[in-house]
């Protein structure tokens, strides 16, 4: 995994249309003068979630969403309760000759967050929760937070499952990742994942999210602004964890690398003098790579410390080095919760599961992840 700090998303294609600012229709039906909230001239119809035959109007900030109350209530018991409460009423058109009376329900959510959730259940032909490709942090964050708030169980669980697929407690899954965060995330959005872990109590995603925050350096203090304008920062408690963990993980990483290159040759080695010298050469050369040794990826493969050079070992010693490398990285993974100063039930168990055993050991978990991924791809 790359340890390069970046505020750019790890992707090269252009952002999909739904990532850009949505157009809105300023033509708003007449309001009841006694309605609270924004004035008529300030209200905007959402350009995506305004259905002419919708049965309820949701008002988030100054944006209105006309949607189907039955669909919302069917997925959310909270919305079901809200729908039977008293709300201001407004007569709106169904077509050129008919009107319908809709409740106007004012919500405290941001328009962007609400749009992501509505897109999941009432998509236009060209709209979806995830757009074209994997979901962004904004989409997953809105789905987790509003899914929890409104008890939209399926959306909440599927969104968490997607996060768990990347910010995983499974070492074999994590080691296959090429970058610190999912491809459509900014690196700094790992801060938001830490906050989601705290919000939901899903401790399994916390270690890798915190470790991803470590590569931000001083940028971790600045946090980032979500698309709804809310500022995401690590709490002082988690900032303290990161500061302490930076030193602890650095020390553990240095020790792990030195053990991997220990100049003890394999029992089957026929060129002990040459292979021993090769190990010592690597160890001496580590001084030139101190930055990556201390502040780089603590789970980096041994090749990251060779500077692109051929180490020059015999086949037996090379196989031994690769075994040491696997053990060193696995042991480092097992120690993450301790090095971070947190408790994560089942973490060490997950680290020892071989790839061929994962589905057998955690069938329900993997079925949920696969369901979530398929759902996002099909949206």
């Amino acid at each position: 995994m790359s340890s390069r700090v970046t505020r750019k998303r790890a992707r090269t294609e252009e952002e999909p249309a739904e990532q850009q600012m949505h157009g809105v229709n300023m033509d708003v039906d007449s309001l009841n003068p006694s309605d609270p909230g924004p004035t008529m001239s300030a209200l905007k119809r959402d350009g995506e979630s305004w259905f002419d035959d919708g049965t309820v109007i949701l008002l988030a900030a100054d944006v209105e969403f006309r949607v189907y109350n039955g669909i919302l209530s069917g997925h959310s018991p909270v919305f079901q309760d809200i729908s039977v409460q008293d709300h201001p009423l407004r007569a709106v058109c169904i077509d050129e000759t008919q009107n319908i009376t809709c409740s106007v329900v004012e919500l405290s959510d941001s328009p962007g967050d609400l749009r992501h959730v509505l897109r999941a259940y009432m998509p236009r032909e060209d709209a979806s929760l995830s757009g074209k490709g994997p979901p962004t942090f904004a989409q997953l964050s809105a789905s987790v937070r509003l899914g929890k708030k409104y008890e939209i169980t399926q959306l909440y669980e599927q969104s968490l499952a997607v996060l768990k697929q990347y910010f995983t407690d499974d070492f074999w899954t994590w080691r296959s990742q090429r970058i610190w965060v999912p491809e459509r995330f900014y690196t700094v959005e790992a801060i938001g994942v830490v906050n989601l872990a705290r919000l939901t109590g899903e401790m399994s995603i916390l270690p890798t999210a915190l470790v991803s925050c470590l590569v931000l350096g001083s940028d971790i203090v600045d946090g980032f602004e979500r698309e709804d304008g809310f500022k995401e920062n690590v709490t002082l408690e988690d900032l303290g964890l990161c500061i302490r963990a930076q030193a602890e993980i650095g020390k553990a990483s240095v020790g792990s690398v030195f053990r991997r290159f220990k100049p003890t040759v394999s029992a089957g080695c026929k060129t002990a003098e040459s292979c021993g010298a090769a190990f010592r050469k690597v160890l001496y050369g580590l001084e030139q790579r101190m930055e990556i040794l201390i502040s780089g990826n603590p789970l980096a493969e041994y090749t990251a410390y060779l500077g692109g050079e051929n180490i020059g070992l015999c086949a037996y010693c090379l196989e031994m080095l690769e075994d040491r490398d696997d053990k060193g990285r696995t042991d480092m993974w097992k120690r993450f919760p301790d090095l971070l100063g947190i408790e994560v039930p089942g973490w060490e168990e997950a680290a020892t599961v071989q790839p061929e055993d994962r589905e057998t050991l955690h069938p329900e978990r993997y079925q949920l992840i696969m369901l979530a991924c398929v759902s996002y791809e099909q949206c």
Side-chain angles (χ1 to χ4, degrees), residues 288-318:
Q288 307 302 317
R289 301 182 177 90
M290 196 59 66
E291 183 176 351
I292 186 173
L293 190 64
I294 296 176
S295 303
N297 180 1
L299 296 174
E301 296 182 4
Y302 74 89
T303 53
Y305 306 101
L306 301 181
E309 298 179 9
N310 185 344
I311 194 171
L313 296 174
C314 72
Y316 294 105
C317 287
L318 184 59

Side-chain angles (χ1 to χ4, degrees), residues 6-238:
T6 176
R7 287 181 177 272
K8 294 183 179 179
R9 288 184 185 160
R11 58 189 298 272
T12 56
E13 69 274 16
E14 292 184 358
E15 296 290 348
E18 73 275 7
Q19 293 289 324
Q20 303 170 7
M21 184 66 72
H22 292 276
V24 291
N25 186 342
M26 292 297 292
D27 179 22
V28 181
D29 294 286
S30 297
L31 286 169
N32 183 329
S34 63
D35 285 352
T39 63
M40 179 180 66
S41 61
L43 295 179
K44 302 180 285 287
R45 287 181 181 175
D46 185 64
E48 184 177 315
S49 294
W50 181 276
F51 298 91
D52 290 336
D53 58 346
T55 56
V56 65
I57 296 173
L58 304 179
L59 178 60
D62 60 347
V63 180
E64 294 185 311
F65 302 79
R66 184 176 174 186
V67 294
Y68 305 103
N69 184 58
I71 295 178
L72 285 179
S73 297
H75 289 285
S76 167
V78 175
F79 270 119
Q80 187 174 29
D81 290 342
I82 291 174
S83 68
V84 299
Q85 298 171 8
D86 290 331
H87 300 284
L89 300 177
R90 189 190 311 169
V92 290
C93 297
I94 294 180
D95 53 37
E96 293 180 357
T97 61
Q98 300 181 78
N99 290 340
I100 186 175
T101 301
C102 289
S103 296
V104 180
V105 180
E106 188 169 355
L107 303 175
S108 60
D109 311 300
S110 72
D113 279 354
L114 187 58
R115 185 179 295 114
H116 287 311
V117 173
L118 294 176
R119 188 180 295 154
Y121 293 105
M122 285 167 266
R124 295 285 188 178
E125 184 179 349
D126 59 347
S128 71
L129 175 62
S130 62
K132 297 178 180 179
T136 63
F137 170 78
Q139 293 160 337
L140 285 176
S141 176
S143 299
V144 169
R145 289 181 287 104
L146 269 62
K148 179 179 175 66
K149 175 180 177 180
Y150 293 112
E151 299 178 16
I152 310 174
T153 304
Q154 184 182 36
L155 180 67
Y156 175 78
E157 291 182 348
Q158 288 184 356
S159 301
L160 273 181
V162 174
L163 280 175
K164 288 179 179 180
Q165 185 190 26
Y166 203 100
F167 297 94
T168 176
D169 60 356
D170 186 316
F171 174 62
W172 294 89
T173 298
W174 175 260
R175 67 183 290 175
S176 69
Q177 315 286 13
R178 296 177 294 105
I179 46 181
W180 287 103
V181 295
E183 60 178 314
R184 295 179 72 193
F185 279 44
Y186 293 105
T187 307
V188 74
E189 287 172 336
I191 291 172
V193 179
V194 169
N195 292 336
L196 288 177
R198 294 299 192 186
L199 173 69
T200 62
E202 291 289 345
M203 295 298 289
S204 66
I205 67 178
L206 187 57
T208 47
L210 284 170
V211 171
S212 298
C213 287
L214 297 184
V215 302
L216 296 172
S218 60
D219 286 346
I220 191 175
V221 178
D222 298 330
F224 71 98
E225 189 174 286
R226 292 199 315 238
E227 65 177 19
D228 61 4
F230 181 85
K231 189 70 178 293
E232 290 263 12
N233 289 103
V234 289
T235 64
L236 288 178
E237 179 184 0
D238 283 331

Side-chain angles (χ1 to χ4, degrees), residues 258-266 272 275-281 283-284 320 324:
F258 271 80
R259 285 190 292 275
R260 287 178 234 178
F261 293 115
K262 182 180 178 181
T264 302
V265 300
S266 167
C275 288
F279 277 124
R280 287 191 291 273
K281 180 181 177 181
L283 287 173
Y284 297 149
M320 179 188 69
R324 287 180 185 174

